């Protein structure tokens, strides 16, 4: 492995100054689970690694009207947050399937989105949750919606001398549920063949209906029963990973569902639309036709799962597998 | 029944603590003063002429001590077909072809030096499909290789695998039902936790020592002695010393280019040279399981009695030849002898391609053949309208049977295994619903009492006992993680009436340990166990002889139990073992207690027709699975897994279960997820991210059933279990998937894409 210097600044300012000073020769390092792999594979050869490990405050999860996640927050910390499990379930799903516990103990959410892999597990949950990315350089601080953050495989809007300071996620609307599914070939240490996130906010009145809260019947049959009740989807976001060069929102599919009465048939149509607007490709990890087919299946299932999490909040069942 | 003290006990592996605490010394940990690090430059093209090599820049790099190419090494040839050389000159035939090698003072320098070697190639057209490679006009991998009656240049190897028993054509005519299918299996690799490596060192007299992680120390010693001769060092000695081995699974049954390269670099530099593979090299530059295209037909009568089995196979040999090309010799075993089948024909061809070349891997051809045979058993059962369980029971092997290949079946618990699996899975209730859940089973036969593939199938043991009763066992066997040291210790302790902790097993050094043919064919417990027991018996005789005087009792009336020699007639007459030993040793004209024994099982080489009783006895087993298939995604989930094995006798039930768990886990990977993806000869997934070996989270709860048939020839009744655990896994899963959703997948691995694709096809 090529040798490098390792610097450990104590403040953001110091880090930014170092970043400025070393320019192209430097690379930020958080948990190092991407950076070190790339150095070993010789796809990256920094002379200096600037660690964000010693900067106080970057590894905190706070709630102040909105959810604030520091870039150095590890996946394991997110996995253990009750608040995130309850109100931002898609993100909790994603980290619970990321790598292995050993990886989750060191790998960070900041690193995950900065690597900008089309397969990044936290990317699609962050997309459906409406995340804003706070970016800082010596000169300025700016906020970019996550939709605009990813530019291509391995590419982000981050410019030279910039780092991520914070991820800000708004408080969800009442009666909102979200879910993420990682389609993978084994149950740990895998990247997704496809990642699908959904978030649905439902019409409030209908959901408090008592007989629904205590039901244990499958969601599709509940949907059936509710058709007369006009259960409306007030807000919806659908995001796909490994379905395009960057993690993407399925905007056409969302438009089809937003403000509409929920039904089995409509969800099917929404999923079909999502599959059409995706641009999956063939790779050794999966074939395009299969990815497209699975978007159809999984968008519907994740929409169902989101609804289930609104209707049966006590049974926050995490989708271990699809059955 | 005899009451055992050490045999049949769940004793943890003797090296377990050392391994889990990181204290064990693997090849990666080994450092020798003055040691250099070697690195290999591989070809970037699957098929090309080498036009020129310029190593001058690399040689000048400070820290570089030697650079070798195919043009400045002696003519060493290796592999049983002798078609491979340590470094290639003139031409490269695959992407794992070694073109140059460097020895330097550290690994970084060695790597940097590789980048400085300039090689010019002229690219040649490649061939990557064995059926294409067989065609007239296909690119020739080895132009000088000729075959056929006309001795024409060809990619087809001169290995006429051909087994014929009875009359297949006649039997086919008389069959009520005949199934014909094509199955395909692809490359999978061993995934040893420890990557390959060695350290080679010469002394001042030019005798060679290689620190190695081989499964075949004695044969490796012979190979290296041959290499020394080729290097002009005829008569010099080769010594093989093993460090702890991080997994074998057959991958270390041959010698490899990297070992010869380390030897050549050590000779050139006069320093110890270490070569250890990176994980990437481990994936693309070691030899995987043999892939095959299998055309199979089987027939049966109206009553469901098998009439014939007819198989043709094409094996992708890759660019060079190792034991992968001989896997048909073991495939013949299930083909001729899994279930009773009177008429058998098997013809296999090995074909050179520009792909990687294959080797032995757990099962040695048996998993490939059994996938085809036992998948098709279900197909045939359905044609005949018989429950696959009944179909198997009707054709099951029985003790005393002589199979069409002339195997003499001694103990055979196949029927018991099938019954046990059916009962555990509640077969009659669970089967045939087609509701997304299904059950399937498949069986196996494997050599269980050695396998005479070389002239000798033997193993030697030497035992000495010190003055305090510590028993040193020097065995030819190789413990590569399977726990053979522990099993040997149990056998010796049982025979000598001492405790397992009194026994120290040494297996690491060809200068100290006796000869053994190698850790293959699930033979170690059987062959090395019988050998150790034989040596222990001799030692015991001596002990009783000596004790007879001091206890004043005739030796026949003495026995040893818990470190004490006592009279069976009068248990009050006794003496501690240590005391007897000291008395013998320190007396004037004293003696030490030592014994040796060479056990070579009474089995036969296959004759020219590939018939003969290959093994003294045979192991059987049946695996049963319940799966759930997601019809929308094609994903397969294993709900239950039952593995029943006829093992003769479980010397150590815990280690035995370990072999079954590990085998079945590898088998599930083979069935569902694992494959080396080769595109134009290039391994596209040389890492654990994209090579889908299963993790602890994927492993189902294995229910193991041990059927003890107490084989008359086995040590304390034991038969082999090393390989059987993964032999029937893939067909059992394929059969269960068929039962669940009615689609039959005939090529491995059974990915969700294939299942979903087949479901769509079926819905059309
Ligand atoms: C065995 C293994 C399994 C894995 N499994 C998964 C998986 O299942 N799913 C998945 O999505 N990923 C997986 N990964 C990839 C990796 O673990 C994740 O992407 C992880 O979140 C990266 O975080 P890190 O802290 O290690 O990042 P690092 O490697 O430290 O950094 C990654 C990149 O982010 C940049 N960076 C880090 N912090 C900042 C910041 N604050 N501002 C600007 N740039 C920054 C770095 O410069 C670098 O370019 C796996 C990796 C390994 C080794």
């Amino acid at each position: 492995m090529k040798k490098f210097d390792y610097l450990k600044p104590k403040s953001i300012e110091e880090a930014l100054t170092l970043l400025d000073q070393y320019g192209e020769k430097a690379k930020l390092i958080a948990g190092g689970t991407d950076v070190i792999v790339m150095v070993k594979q010789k796809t990256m050869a920094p002379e200096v690694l600037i660690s964000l490990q010693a900067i106080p405050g970057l590894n905190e999860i706070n709630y102040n009207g909105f959810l604030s996640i520091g870039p150095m927050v590890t996946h394991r910390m997110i996995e253990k947050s009750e608040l995130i499990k309850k109100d931002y379930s898609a993100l909790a799903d994603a980290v619970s399937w990321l790598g292995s516990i050993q990886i989750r103990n060191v790998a960070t959410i900041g690193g995950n989105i900065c690597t900008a892999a089309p397969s990044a597990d936290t990317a699609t949950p962050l997309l459906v949750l409406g995340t804003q990315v706070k970016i800082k350089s010596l000169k300025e601080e700016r906020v970019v919606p996550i939709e605009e953050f990813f530019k291509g495989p391995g590419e982000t809007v981050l410019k030279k001398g910039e780092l991520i300071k914070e991820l800000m996620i708004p408080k969800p609307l009442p009666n909102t549920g979200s879910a993420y599914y990682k389609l993978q070939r084994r149950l740990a240490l895998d990247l997704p063949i496809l990642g699908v996130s959904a978030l649905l906010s439902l019409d409030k009145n209908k959901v408090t209906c008592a007989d629904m809260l205590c039901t244990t019947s499958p969601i599709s049959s509940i949907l059936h029963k509710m058709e007369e009740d006009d259960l409306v989807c007030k807000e919806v976001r659908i995001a796909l990973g490994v379905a395009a060069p960057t993690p993407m929102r399925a905007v056409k599919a969302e438009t089809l569902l937003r403000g509409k009465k929920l039904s089995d048939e409509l969800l099917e149509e929404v999923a079909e639309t999502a599959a059409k607007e995706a641009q999956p490709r063939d790779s050794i990890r999966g074939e395009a036709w299969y990815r497209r087919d699975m978007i159809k299946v999984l968008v519907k299932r994740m929409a169902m799962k989101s609804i289930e999490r609104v209707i049966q909040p006590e049974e926050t069942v995490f989708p271990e597998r699809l059955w | 029944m005899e009451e055992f003290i050490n045999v049949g006990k769940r004793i943890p592996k003797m090296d377990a603590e050392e391994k889990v605490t990181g204290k064990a010394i693997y090849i990666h940990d080994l450092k020798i003063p003055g040691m250099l690090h070697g690195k290999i430059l591989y070809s970037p093209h699957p098929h090309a002429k080498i036009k020129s090599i310029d190593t001058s820049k690399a040689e000048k790099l400070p820290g570089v001590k030697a650079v070798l190419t195919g043009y400045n090494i002696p003519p060493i040839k290796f592999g049983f077909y002798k078609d491979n050389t340590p470094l290639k000159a003139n031409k490269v035939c695959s992407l794992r072809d070694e073109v140059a090698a460097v020895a330097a003072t550290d690994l970084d320098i060695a790597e940097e030096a590789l980048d400085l070697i300039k090689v010019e190639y002229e690219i040649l057209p490649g061939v990557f499909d064995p059926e294409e490679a067989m065609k007239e006009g296909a690119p020739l991998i080895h132009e000088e290789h000729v075959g056929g009656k006309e001795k024409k240049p060809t990619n087809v190897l001169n290995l006429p695998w051909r087994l014929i028993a009875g009359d297949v054509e006649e039997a086919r005519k008389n069959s009520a039902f005949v199934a014909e299918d094509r199955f395909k299996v692809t490359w999978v690799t061993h995934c040893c936790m420890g990557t390959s490596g060695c350290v080679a060192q010469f002394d001042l007299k030019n005798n060679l020592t290689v620190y190695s992680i081989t499964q075949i120390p004695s044969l490796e010693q012979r190979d290296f002695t041959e290499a020394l001769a080729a290097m002009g060092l005829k008569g010099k000695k080769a010594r093989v010393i093993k460090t702890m081995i991080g997994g074998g699974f057959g991958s270390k049954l041959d010698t490899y280019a990297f070992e010869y390269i380390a030897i050549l670099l050590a000779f050139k530099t006069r320093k110890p040279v270490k070569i250890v593979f990176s994980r990437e090299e481990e994936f693309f530059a070691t030899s995987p399981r043999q892939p095959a295209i299998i055309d199979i037909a089987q027939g049966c009568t109206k009553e469901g009695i098998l009439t014939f089995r007819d198989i043709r196979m094409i094996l992708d040999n890759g660019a060079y030849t190792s034991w992968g090309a001989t896997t048909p010799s073991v495939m013949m075993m299930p083909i001729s002898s899994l279930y009773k089948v009177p008429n058998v024909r098997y013809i296999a061809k090995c074909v050179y391609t520009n792909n990687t070349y294959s080797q032995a891997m757990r099962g040695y051809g048996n998993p490939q053949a059994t996938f085809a045979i036992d998948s098709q058993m279900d197909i045939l059962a359905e044609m005949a309208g018989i429950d696959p369980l009944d179909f198997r029971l009707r054709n099951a092997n029985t003790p005393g049977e002589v199979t069409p290949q002339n195997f003499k079946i001694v103990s055979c618990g196949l029927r018991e295994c099938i019954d046990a699996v059916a009962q555990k899975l509640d077969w009659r209730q669970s089967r045939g619903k087609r509701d997304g859940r299904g059950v399937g089973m498949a069986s196996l036969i494997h050599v269980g009492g050695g396998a005479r593939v070389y002239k000798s199938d033997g193993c030697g043991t030497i035992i000495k006992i010190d003055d305090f009763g510590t028993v040193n066992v020097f065995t030819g066997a190789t413990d590569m993680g399977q726990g053979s040291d522990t099993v040997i210790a149990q056998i010796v302790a049982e025979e000598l009436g001492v405790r397992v902790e009194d026994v120290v097993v040494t297996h690491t050094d060809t200068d100290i340990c006796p000869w053994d043919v190698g850790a293959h064919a699930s033979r170690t417990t059987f062959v090395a166990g019988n050998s150790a027991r034989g040596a222990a018996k001799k030692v015991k005789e001596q002990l009783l002889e000596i004790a007879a005087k001091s206890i004043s009792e005739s030796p026949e009336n003495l026995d040893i139990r818990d470190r004490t020699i006592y009279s069976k007639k009068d248990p009050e007459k006794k003496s501690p073992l240590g005391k007897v030993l000291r008395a013998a040793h320190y007396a004037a004209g004293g003696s030490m207690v030592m014994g040796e024994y060479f056990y070579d099982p009474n089995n036969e080489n296959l004759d020219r027709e590939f018939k003969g009783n290959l093994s003294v006895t045979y192991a059987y087993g049946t695996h049963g699975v319940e799966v759930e298939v997601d019809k929308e995604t094609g994903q397969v989930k294993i709900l239950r897994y039952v593995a029943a094995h006829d093992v003769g006798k479980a010397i150590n039930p815990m280690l035995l279960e370990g072999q079954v768990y590990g085998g079945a886990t590898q088998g599930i990977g083979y069935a569902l997820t694992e494959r080396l993806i080769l595109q134009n000869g290039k391994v596209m997934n040389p890492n654990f991210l994209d090579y889908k070996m299963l993790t602890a989270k994927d492993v189902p709860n294995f229910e193991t059933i041990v059927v003890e048939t107490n084989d008359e020839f086995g040590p304390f009744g034991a038969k082999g279990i090393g390989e059987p655990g993964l032999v029937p896994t893939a067909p059992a899963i394929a059969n269960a998937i068929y039962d669940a959703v009615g689609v039959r997948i005939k090529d491995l691995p059974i990915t969700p894409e294939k299942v979903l694709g087949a479901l769509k096809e079926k819905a059309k």
Side-chain angles (χ1 to χ4, degrees):
Chain A
M1 188 168 74
K2 197 177 162 291
K3 300 205 166 52
F4 47 76
D5 280 337
Y6 185 80
L7 305 175
K8 236 176 162 180
K10 298 242 153 39
S11 69
I12 291 197
E13 283 64 35
E14 196 189 334
L16 288 170
T17 311
L18 289 170
L19 205 52
D20 215 45
Q21 185 184 330
Y22 286 100
E24 295 288 329
K25 291 183 199 153
K27 191 81 202 165
L28 291 174
I29 178 166
T33 59
D34 280 324
V35 168
I36 298 299
V37 174
M38 289 186 217
V39 171
K40 279 193 171 170
Q41 290 173 342
K42 299 184 184 171
T43 48
M44 184 194 277
E47 287 174 27
V48 183
L49 287 180
I50 303 171
S51 168
L52 303 177
Q53 213 72 251
I55 301 174
L58 291 185
N59 65 346
E60 285 171 16
I61 301 175
N62 289 306
Y63 188 81
N64 257 321
F66 66 92
L67 177 69
S68 159
I69 304 180
M72 291 299 287
V73 167
T74 65
H75 300 303
R76 190 71 173 155
M77 289 166 73
I78 297 175
E79 190 182 1
K80 288 190 165 171
S81 159
E82 285 302 318
L83 172 71
I84 293 176
K85 197 179 280 184
K86 188 167 139 287
D87 286 348
Y88 306 88
S89 320
L91 186 57
D93 292 345
V95 292
S96 71
W97 290 109
L98 194 147
S100 61
I101 291 176
Q102 295 91 326
I103 290 291
R104 300 204 284 275
N105 275 332
V106 289
T108 65
I109 188 158
N112 195 227
I113 64 166
C114 288
T115 294
S119 59
D121 272 315
T122 65
T124 60
L126 291 174
L127 276 164
V128 298
L129 293 169
T131 308
Q132 303 277 325
V133 185
K134 192 183 274 180
I135 296 171
K136 195 169 162 50
S137 68
L138 276 182
K139 289 192 284 301
E140 62 166 354
E141 191 168 288
R142 59 185 181 125
V143 174
V144 174
I146 187 105
E147 282 80 1
E148 293 165 22
F149 184 78
F150 302 110
K151 284 284 157 208
E155 282 173 49
T156 67
V157 293
L158 286 178
K159 290 181 288 202
K160 241 188 343 180
E162 285 187 331
L163 57 71
I164 293 186
K165 196 182 158 195
E166 187 185 358
L167 301 174
M168 300 176 296
I169 308 181
K171 183 178 159 90
L173 296 173
N175 300 310
T176 294
S178 67
Y180 170 73
Y181 187 76
K182 176 174 187 168
L183 184 65
Q184 54 187 349
R185 296 188 189 278
R186 61 181 170 213
L187 297 180
L189 289 165
D190 209 351
L191 291 182
I193 305 168
L194 180 76
V196 175
S197 283
L199 172 143
L200 271 80
S201 305
L202 306 183
D203 188 318
K204 181 171 182 298
N205 303 328
K206 307 294 174 197
V207 189
T208 46
C209 154
D211 60 324
M212 253 176 279
L213 271 176
C214 52
T215 181
T216 51
S217 37
I219 294 300
S220 63
S221 70
I222 299 173
L223 271 182
H224 237 73
K225 260 195 264 167
M226 287 189 305
E227 268 175 42
E228 305 100 75
D229 293 347
D230 285 354
L231 185 69
V232 171
C233 169
K234 279 179 69 180
E235 177 56 304
V236 55
R237 283 191 222 108
I238 295 164
L240 309 173
V242 211
T246 63
M248 64 172 273
R249 286 266 299 273
V251 182
K252 285 188 192 143
E254 292 173 2
T255 313
L256 201 62
L257 185 55
R258 193 172 291 120
K260 302 275 169 50
K261 199 179 88 175
L262 280 165
S263 75
D264 233 19
E265 294 73 29
L266 180 59
L267 285 182
E268 204 119 326
E269 206 183 317
V270 167
E272 294 262 350
T273 308
K276 280 201 195 105
E277 62 187 303
Q279 316 148 37
R281 52 176 204 113
D282 284 324
S283 78
I284 58 152
R285 296 197 182 139
E287 293 167 60
W289 73 266
Y290 184 66
R291 290 190 164 120
R292 206 180 283 281
D293 263 26
M294 290 306 97
I295 295 173
K296 275 184 233 167
V297 175
L298 296 174
V299 163
K300 187 173 172 204
R301 287 190 188 179
M302 287 307 98
M304 294 282 199
K305 192 88 206 169
S306 303
I307 300 167
E308 182 178 303
R309 282 176 171 164
V310 180
I311 298 176
Q312 300 167 339
E314 297 317 315
E315 292 190 35
T316 329
V317 194
F318 289 91
E320 288 236 337
R321 276 245 170 173
L322 289 171
W323 33 78
Chain B
M1 228 184 92
E2 229 180 314
E3 176 78 27
F4 296 126
I5 295 170
N6 297 295
V7 159
K9 299 290 173 323
R10 307 179 71 88
I11 295 169
K13 269 195 231 186
M14 309 217 296
D15 55 13
E17 291 96 336
E18 257 189 282
K19 280 182 170 167
V20 297
T21 55
K23 295 269 190 298
I25 308 242
Y26 290 88
I27 196 78
H28 312 75
D29 305 306
L30 188 67
K31 282 195 191 115
I32 295 179
M35 185 176 84
L36 302 175
H37 297 265
K39 263 288 191 203
I40 298 167
L41 181 71
Y42 297 94
S43 166
H45 307 293
H47 202 191
K49 277 192 183 141
I50 300 175
K51 295 188 70 184
S52 69
I53 304 186
D54 180 0
T55 58
S56 55
K57 278 209 182 119
E59 279 158 34
K60 280 184 206 125
L61 185 73
V64 170
K65 299 295 173 194
V67 183
L68 295 178
T69 70
Y71 297 94
N72 59 14
I73 59 165
I76 297 174
K77 294 233 176 217
F78 65 93
F80 88 97
Y81 209 66
K82 298 285 181 223
D83 59 1
N84 206 345
T85 55
L87 291 162
K88 283 37 175 190
N90 306 322
K91 193 174 131 161
V92 288
C93 301
S94 76
L95 284 155
R96 62 183 276 200
D97 274 32
E98 301 80 2
V99 175
V102 171
T105 47
D106 78 34
L107 207 52
D108 288 335
I109 296 174
E111 269 175 28
E112 206 182 325
L114 291 189
D115 292 339
L116 298 175
I117 299 174
K118 291 281 162 287
V119 190
E120 251 190 291
Y121 296 95
E122 179 188 322
I123 295 174
L124 299 170
V127 60
F128 306 99
D129 174 339
E131 287 183 296
E132 289 296 318
M134 285 165 78
K135 287 184 186 155
E136 194 84 27
L140 289 170
I141 314 303
H142 299 285
E143 285 88 355
E144 69 287 358
H145 180 262
V146 292
K149 284 196 190 76
E150 311 88 32
K151 300 258 177 270
K152 275 206 308 199
T154 175
N155 286 325
V156 181
L157 274 75
N158 296 313
L159 296 171
W161 300 116
R162 194 182 165 86
L163 172 73
I164 291 174
D167 188 339
V168 164
E169 293 304 336
E170 192 57 30
R172 182 191 281 260
K173 277 189 227 142
N174 300 329
S175 299
F177 305 98
V178 173
E180 282 185 78
D181 298 276
R182 172 170 269 211
F183 291 86
K184 279 188 179 179
V185 290
T186 189
W187 297 276
V188 292
T189 187
H190 313 78
C191 298
C192 297
M193 267 208 266
T195 57
S196 303
C198 69
V199 180
Q201 181 178 26
F202 281 89
D203 69 11
L204 293 174
K205 297 194 178 76
N206 278 337
N207 291 315
L208 169 69
T209 299
V210 179
Y211 297 87
S212 165
I213 48 176
T214 182
Q215 294 175 237
I216 44 156
S218 305
L219 301 188
E220 178 157 280
Q221 182 185 32
R222 185 205 58 193
D223 281 0
F224 291 163
T225 309
E226 268 178 35
L228 288 175
M231 291 164 69
L233 302 174
K234 206 164 175 176
K236 297 297 174 191
K237 296 182 188 69
R239 176 182 186 184
V240 173
I241 300 177
K242 284 175 280 178
T243 63
M244 202 69 92
I245 302 173
F249 311 106
S251 63
K252 298 163 177 72
L253 284 181
D254 205 349
T255 48
Y256 292 100
F258 80 87
E259 294 171 294
Y260 296 101
I261 291 171
I263 292 169
L264 292 167
L265 287 170
F267 187 61
K268 177 99 192 263
T269 59
R270 309 304 307 167
K271 297 217 156 156
V273 174
K274 176 177 189 169
I275 294 183
V276 168
F277 274 8
S278 68
R279 183 54 67 185
E280 195 184 348
E281 280 176 299
E282 188 71 14
F283 272 107
F284 79 79
T286 67
S287 292
R289 180 179 286 152
Q290 180 65 58
I293 302 168
I294 307 167
D295 287 312
I296 173 171
Q298 295 183 88
C300 69
T301 64
K302 270 212 309 291
E303 295 74 31
I305 302 300
L306 281 174
T307 47
F308 77 95
R309 188 175 286 155
D310 189 6
I311 299 185
R312 266 162 222 274
M313 260 191 221
I314 298 169
L315 307 184
D316 182 340
N317 192 65
Y320 301 95
T321 310
S322 179
W323 299 119
T326 68
T327 50
S329 65
V330 174
M331 294 181 182
M332 287 173 182
M333 175 176 49
I335 290 170
S336 66
S337 308
L338 175 59
Y339 309 116
K340 288 182 181 166
V341 54
N343 302 289
V344 174
R345 180 167 60 193
Y346 172 55
I347 295 167
K349 283 201 166 92
C350 303
V351 188
Y352 278 129
T353 65
N354 293 111
N355 289 319
T356 187
Y357 68 92
S358 301
Q359 232 287 58
M361 179 171 166
R362 209 175 194 169
Y364 210 98
N366 197 346
Q368 294 96 309
T370 300
F371 173 58
I373 294 167
D374 232 342
S375 291
Q376 203 184 47
M377 284 293 281
D378 266 36
I379 297 173
L380 196 54
E382 188 176 40
M383 292 171 88
I386 302 170
D387 183 325
L389 165 64
D390 298 321
F391 190 51
R392 287 190 172 78
L393 284 172
R394 271 175 222 182
N395 292 290
N397 302 92
T398 44
E401 181 191 340
V402 176
T403 78
Q405 209 182 345
N406 289 347
F407 293 175
K408 297 189 179 70
I409 307 305
V410 187
S411 58
C412 172
L414 179 56
R415 200 173 280 274
E416 290 90 321
C417 290
I418 296 174
D419 279 334
V421 165
Q423 201 195 344
K424 277 256 178 193
L425 287 180
D426 206 358
W427 184 267
R428 309 269 181 211
Q429 260 60 52
S430 313
R431 199 187 81 85
K433 298 213 185 76
R434 288 286 150 80
D435 60 353
R437 270 192 181 216
V439 289
M441 65 163 70
S443 299
L444 81 103
I445 176 177
H446 203 68
V447 287
R452 189 167 293 269
V453 289
Y454 298 90
K455 286 209 180 83
S456 170
D457 190 19
C459 174
T461 309
I462 301 167
I463 295 179
K464 75 175 172 74
I465 311 192
D466 74 11
D467 308 339
F468 300 93
T470 296
V471 182
N472 284 101
V473 180
F474 303 92
T475 174
T478 291
D479 193 329
M480 51 194 171
Q482 85 278 42
S484 60
D485 283 358
T486 310
V487 167
I488 288 168
Q490 283 176 265
I491 288 170
V492 169
E494 191 65 50
E495 195 60 49
L496 283 181
V498 297
R499 299 182 190 170
V500 173
E501 57 266 34
D502 300 335
V503 182
V504 179
V505 180
T506 301
H507 70 92
T508 47
D509 189 336
T510 52
D511 271 9
I512 296 170
C513 299
W515 193 87
D516 174 63
V517 74
H520 68 216
S522 305
R523 67 187 278 283
T524 301
T525 295
F526 188 92
V527 179
N530 269 327
S531 172
R533 193 177 184 194
K537 277 188 176 152
K538 281 183 157 181
V539 166
K540 186 172 175 180
E541 275 169 28
Q542 294 175 40
L543 284 170
L544 300 186
E545 198 74 39
I546 295 165
K549 288 174 210 136
S550 58
I551 301 182
S552 51
E553 181 72 87
S554 71
E556 313 85 74
N557 292 333
L558 292 176
D559 203 349
I560 319 175
R561 201 180 172 84
D562 201 16
R563 305 163 168 162
T564 306
I565 302 183
Y566 68 97
S567 161
K568 286 184 274 187
K569 286 194 158 163
D570 176 6
E572 285 308 303
K573 287 166 99 175
K574 62 182 173 185
S575 175
L577 186 58
K579 202 170 156 198
V580 173
L581 286 159
R582 286 189 292 277
H585 184 178
Y586 292 113
S591 63
M592 279 204 63
V593 177
M594 278 191 257
E596 54 61 42
Y597 190 72
F598 186 71
Y599 174 75
D600 192 8
N602 183 24
N603 48 16
E604 301 166 0
N605 286 119
L606 297 179
D607 61 20
R608 309 196 72 173
E609 293 182 351
F610 295 105
K611 291 178 188 159
N613 195 29
L614 186 63
S615 183
V616 173
T617 185
Y618 298 85
Y620 287 91
T622 302
H623 286 196
V625 229
E626 183 173 14
V627 300
E628 189 165 39
V629 180
D630 185 323
K631 290 184 191 172
E632 285 187 316
T633 65
Q635 286 169 304
V636 175
K637 186 187 187 190
I638 293 173
L639 303 175
R640 294 192 63 188
Y641 199 107
V642 186
H645 286 275
D646 163 16
V647 301
K649 162 91 192 162
I651 304 277
N652 185 329
M654 183 160 71
L655 294 193
L656 186 136
E657 282 164 17
Q659 288 301 305
V660 176
Y661 295 170
T665 303
Q666 254 177 343
I668 296 170
Y670 191 46
L672 297 178
T673 58
E674 290 186 41
R675 63 177 148 176
L676 275 182
I677 303 170
L678 266 78
Q679 285 176 7
N680 289 336
K682 185 175 166 69
V683 176
M684 303 302 289
N685 55 341
N687 53 60
F688 281 123
L689 169 55
D690 289 316
Y691 185 89
K692 307 293 181 184
M693 186 199 195
L694 296 178
T695 71
K697 273 185 116 174
D698 298 280
V699 176
N701 180 29
F702 293 114
E703 300 167 57
T704 313
I705 299 162
V706 175
V707 174
E708 294 196 327
T709 47
N710 288 305
D711 194 87
E712 61 182 287
F713 301 114
F716 298 98
K719 304 198 273 191
I721 188 62
E723 294 161 286
L726 69 57
V727 173
T729 310
I733 292 173
N735 291 341
I737 292 170
Y738 184 79
D739 187 47
V741 290
V743 298
R744 167 68 54 189
I745 310 299
K746 296 179 192 168
D747 60 326
L748 297 179
I750 305 173
T751 59
E753 287 91 333
K754 287 181 196 167
V755 175
L756 190 68
L759 281 167
K760 287 184 165 197
E761 197 57 38
K762 190 174 162 237
K764 269 186 192 160

